Amino acid sequence: MTQTLSASLDIVPRMESTIIQHCHATHAYVTKDTAAFNKDVAALAGSLRDLRSCKITLSCVSWLPPEILTTIFTYIVEDDAFKSCTGTPRPCGAPISMIITHICRRWRQVALECPTLWAYLNCVSANWLDIMFERSKKAALVVIYRSPGSLRKCFQQILSQLPRIKYLQLCSSSWEVDRILDCLSSQPAPSLQTLKFSVVRKSQTRVIRPISDSIFQGRAPLLRSVELNECTFSWTSCIFSGLRTLDVRRIGSASYPTLTQLLSALRRMPELEQLTLGLSSRFSEDTELSDQVPLARLKRIALDACTLRNAVSLFSSLSFPVDVKIALNLAPIGSCLSDLFLVMHKDPDGSGPIIRSMRASLSYHTFGVQFSTSMTFKSEYFWNPPDDDIILSLQFKCSSSTRKPPVIFDICQMVPHRQIRSLSVTSSLFLRDNFWRAGSADLPALESIQLSGTCNIRSLIAVLQSGGVQSSDMAYPSLHALELESIDFGCGEAEELQDIVIIRAGHGLGIHELRLVKCRNLVDDKVQLLKEVVPAVDWDGHEESLVGGDGSGGGCLCHNCRDESSSGEDYMQALLHSDWDYDPDSDAYSEE
């Protein structure tokens, strides 16, 4: 069949040797052609690299002198070290200084000639540490390991460089604490300025030994800042004398100090500027020191998870400047609150910062109140705030006797040098008339109210329109600015607010500024009514209706819609989070 087909097509069959020779010739040609192609590709790649290098050379960045590039690189590395919160190495495992060297030849040269750039060890894996140590030369090291996983395989390698470390932040698992403390005790730390050490404990029954005098072989002359979490030091130790910052939180029961031990430790720190302590357990009964511990340079003091009695005991034993910033996170408070303010402000009639604004945060379980020297709060923090304008921050759990929101105005009356003009309230509770009436009585010079998060403003509206014939009899006679954020406007409340503005204007108490942010059940027509009577209305244009799709008004919490609601679920949910269960005849809370 093959022969017939070949004959019909006039094909002459080739010999086997001829076919083999043809294949060899074809392979040689292809091989030669591929080699030439690869050579051309390599030449093109080289040209592309040259063009890239030329482009970088011609770019403005390449005109910068090495000193400027070094400053930029150092800023990048510092920012990565101190702002990173992951606590784990990068997927590629390379530190950011190594990545910089792969941008271009000039950047690599500048980076390699800057030892400081290689001195930041931010969760660097063990594979890169020797290179970092070599390239950093004799530069002081900054070591940051925020998780036990990143530290586990390399802490011995890192702590072998202890004499070079100036900043040390470690996070360890509880079963490795002893080994790490042994490494920290193996050498002196002549360059160390900051120590941050935290322990992750899966079992609270495991006892963590306190840091003893043997740490750093007793030699850390430059140490000025110590922060410990789930780990503490021996309160009779002298190694931490001369500190300017001390932050010890979550002190284990085995290492909890007596009041005498704590005060003795603070007495050895006359340069202390910032003090943060977690004092959740009550001080043991011991003999208190006869004279107060002077902390003349103290700027901030914060007590975390502290009992009221511990706070009173500590403040009564300390002497510090009148302008110290105080942040307290307390257990439920009771009748001893006045004692606390008495020992915090030992000379209330003397000089001190003027309090101009007040901020309150009210929820079912926690109340918070802050006092600031400025008219607006720069920080969103409600405990241990970093801003200098917040002079006092107080947060406490709610007991049965402190669930009444007007208690924040009782606190206000205890603060000296108050000239409060601005009040900011964030609340998930239903604030009733008595809250706003108490505020009007205690803050007669109030000029501005910011309210957010609460379900309604009906009680505020009712208080604003109350009063006698004379303007001085009306609530908040100095009020001229009102800011409402995330407020659920009930049916007709926008119109009622308009009427109030008109009434108050007739008494010479006009509201000149109104700001509306993310308010619900508020549409353009209602805002236009307010613009007719308020000179400056700032509305973000947010429109969201609370009325149910069936027209029943199930989402609205005003009285009319609530009565028409078939299920009443929204109302009941709000009721559960209100302060309506407060019993004015209940016994005062006692720590006993």
Side-chain angles (χ1 to χ4, degrees):
M1 179 66 180
T2 302
Q3 293 178 354
T4 306
L5 181 61
S6 299
S8 64
L9 296 175
D10 196 18
I11 296 176
V12 180
R14 296 184 181 183
M15 298 297 294
E16 180 178 353
S17 59
T18 304
I19 295 175
I20 292 175
Q21 291 175 0
H22 177 73
C23 290
H24 280 305
T26 303
H27 176 71
Y29 174 78
V30 171
T31 302
K32 180 180 180 180
D33 190 61
T34 302
F37 179 77
N38 290 338
K39 185 178 181 180
D40 291 341
V41 169
L44 288 173
S47 300
L48 186 60
R49 284 195 300 271
D50 293 339
L51 288 173
R52 273 205 201 100
S53 179
C54 182
K55 179 181 178 181
I56 294 174
T57 303
L58 294 175
S59 66
C60 295
V61 175
S62 295
W63 298 349
L64 296 175
E67 296 80 6
I68 301 297
L69 283 176
T70 299
T71 301
I72 294 173
F73 295 161
T74 304
Y75 174 81
I76 293 173
V77 174
E78 288 180 352
D79 187 69
D80 174 75
F82 291 108
K83 291 187 178 180
S84 173
C85 299
T86 60
T88 56
R90 292 178 180 79
C92 64
I96 194 168
S97 54
M98 191 70 66
I99 297 174
I100 291 174
T101 62
H102 287 73
I103 303 301
C104 65
R105 282 192 292 268
R106 185 163 185 267
W107 283 26
R108 178 178 178 83
Q109 180 183 359
V110 172
L112 291 177
E113 292 176 354
C114 178
T116 306
L117 201 64
W118 304 91
Y120 289 85
L121 309 180
N122 180 22
C123 299
V124 176
S125 64
N127 299 332
W128 296 99
L129 285 177
D130 288 338
I131 296 177
M132 300 291 286
F133 294 152
E134 178 184 356
R135 293 182 178 178
S136 61
K137 298 179 181 179
K138 296 182 179 181
L141 300 177
V142 174
V143 178
I144 300 176
Y145 284 80
R146 292 185 176 92
S147 72
S150 62
L151 180 66
R152 185 171 299 118
K153 296 181 180 180
C154 57
F155 71 84
Q156 291 179 321
Q157 192 176 358
I158 291 170
L159 296 181
S160 66
Q161 305 291 319
L162 187 57
R164 292 179 54 193
I165 298 176
K166 71 173 181 180
Y167 184 101
L168 181 60
Q169 179 177 352
L170 303 177
C171 180
S172 167
S173 54
S174 57
W175 56 81
E176 291 177 330
V177 170
D178 291 343
R179 296 172 59 197
I180 291 178
L181 291 181
D182 289 340
C183 289
L184 290 174
S185 303
S186 63
Q187 298 184 78
S191 302
L192 189 63
Q193 301 174 16
T194 300
L195 171 65
K196 297 183 179 182
F197 188 36
S198 59
V199 180
V200 177
R201 292 202 291 178
K202 294 184 178 180
S203 173
Q204 295 297 321
T205 59
R206 186 179 181 87
V207 178
I208 305 298
R209 87 186 200 204
I211 297 174
S212 66
D213 281 340
S214 63
I215 192 78
F216 313 130
Q217 293 186 349
R219 286 177 287 173
L222 301 182
L223 188 61
R224 295 295 178 264
S225 177
V226 172
E227 297 182 18
L228 304 175
N229 194 342
E230 292 283 5
C231 178
T232 187
F233 62 93
S234 175
W235 295 94
T236 58
S237 172
C238 296
I239 185 62
F240 292 151
S241 299
L243 292 182
R244 294 178 181 173
T245 298
L246 177 62
D247 186 333
V248 184
R249 310 193 196 193
R250 298 183 182 179
I251 303 172
S253 57
S255 304
Y256 207 82
T258 65
L259 180 61
T260 299
Q261 290 173 335
L262 175 59
L263 296 176
S264 297
L266 295 178
R267 188 178 293 277
R268 293 190 294 271
M269 306 175 189
E271 304 295 319
L272 197 65
E273 297 178 358
Q274 300 188 46
L275 175 62
T276 301
L277 297 172
L279 301 175
S280 56
S281 299
R282 185 173 301 176
F283 286 126
S284 303
E285 296 295 334
D286 63 347
T287 304
E288 297 185 9
L289 299 181
S290 56
D291 55 342
Q292 293 183 334
V293 177
L295 296 176
R297 296 181 179 271
L298 194 65
K299 298 178 180 178
R300 300 179 187 275
I301 180 171
L303 303 182
D304 186 16
C306 183
T307 65
L308 183 60
R309 186 162 300 180
N310 276 357
V312 172
S313 298
L314 181 60
F315 278 112
S316 62
S317 303
L318 296 179
S319 173
F320 46 77
V322 295
D323 58 348
V324 166
K325 313 302 185 296
I326 300 175
L328 304 178
N329 184 13
L330 300 175
I333 62 174
S335 57
C336 294
L337 188 59
S338 58
D339 297 337
L340 174 62
F341 277 82
L342 183 63
V343 294
M344 282 196 304
H345 308 289
K346 298 180 176 66
D347 186 17
D349 297 328
S351 62
I354 302 299
I355 304 299
R356 291 183 171 84
S357 60
M358 173 181 175
R359 178 167 66 177
S361 174
L362 310 173
S363 66
Y364 188 68
H365 298 292
T366 305
F367 284 2
V369 59
Q370 288 180 322
F371 299 92
S372 173
T373 56
S374 65
M375 286 293 291
T376 58
F377 285 85
K378 303 175 184 177
S379 173
E380 295 182 358
Y381 292 95
F382 244 97
W383 186 80
N384 202 8
D387 292 305
D388 290 335
D389 63 319
I390 300 179
I391 196 70
L392 174 62
S393 180
L394 177 63
Q395 182 170 288
F396 53 93
K397 301 295 182 181
C398 301
S399 66
S400 60
S401 64
T402 59
R403 201 170 294 153
K404 187 177 180 182
V407 71
I408 69 168
F409 297 116
D410 297 335
I411 296 174
C412 176
Q413 293 304 303
M414 303 177 193
V415 178
H417 309 293
R418 60 186 180 278
Q419 296 179 14
I420 297 178
R421 301 290 186 267
S422 175
L423 171 64
S424 176
V425 179
T426 301
S427 175
S428 59
L429 306 177
F430 267 47
L431 301 178
R432 298 190 294 175
D433 295 9
N434 63 335
F435 175 83
W436 297 110
R437 294 186 190 281
S440 179
D442 295 333
L443 305 174
L446 196 67
E447 299 173 357
S448 172
I449 293 179
Q450 298 92 41
L451 177 62
S452 65
T454 189
C455 294
N456 72 349
I457 58 169
R458 183 168 296 277
S459 57
L460 175 59
I461 290 175
V463 171
L464 288 178
Q465 67 182 359
S466 62
V469 178
Q470 298 183 0
S471 60
S472 59
D473 296 332
M474 299 197 72
Y476 300 103
S478 300
L479 183 67
H480 63 75
L482 185 61
E483 178 178 332
L484 305 176
E485 180 175 354
S486 301
I487 300 297
D488 298 343
F489 270 81
C491 294
E493 288 181 350
E495 292 82 357
E496 292 179 17
L497 185 58
Q498 180 194 31
D499 294 339
I500 290 171
V501 174
I502 295 173
I503 294 173
R504 292 177 66 89
H507 287 75
L509 306 177
I511 294 178
H512 308 304
E513 300 177 23
L514 176 61
R515 187 165 183 258
L516 304 168
V517 181
K518 296 180 181 179
C519 292
R520 294 171 289 274
N521 208 27
L522 188 65
V523 294
D524 183 66
D525 292 343
K526 297 180 180 179
V527 176
Q528 291 302 322
L529 295 176
L530 295 172
K531 288 182 177 181
E532 294 177 0
V533 295
V534 180
V537 176
D538 181 9
W539 180 46
D540 63 353
H542 179 82
E543 293 188 8
E544 180 181 345
S545 177
L546 294 177
V547 180
D550 58 354
S552 64
C556 184
L557 295 176
C558 70
H559 294 289
N560 295 333
C561 293
R562 194 172 64 211
D563 293 338
E564 297 175 2
S565 174
S566 58
S567 63
E569 293 180 0
D570 292 331
Y571 169 61
M572 292 304 297
Q573 185 68 21
L575 182 60
L576 290 174
H577 292 82
S578 71
D579 67 317
W580 293 357
D581 59 345
Y582 170 69
D583 181 6
D585 298 324
S586 62
D587 295 333
Y589 175 79
S590 171
E591 283 192 319
E592 301 298 335

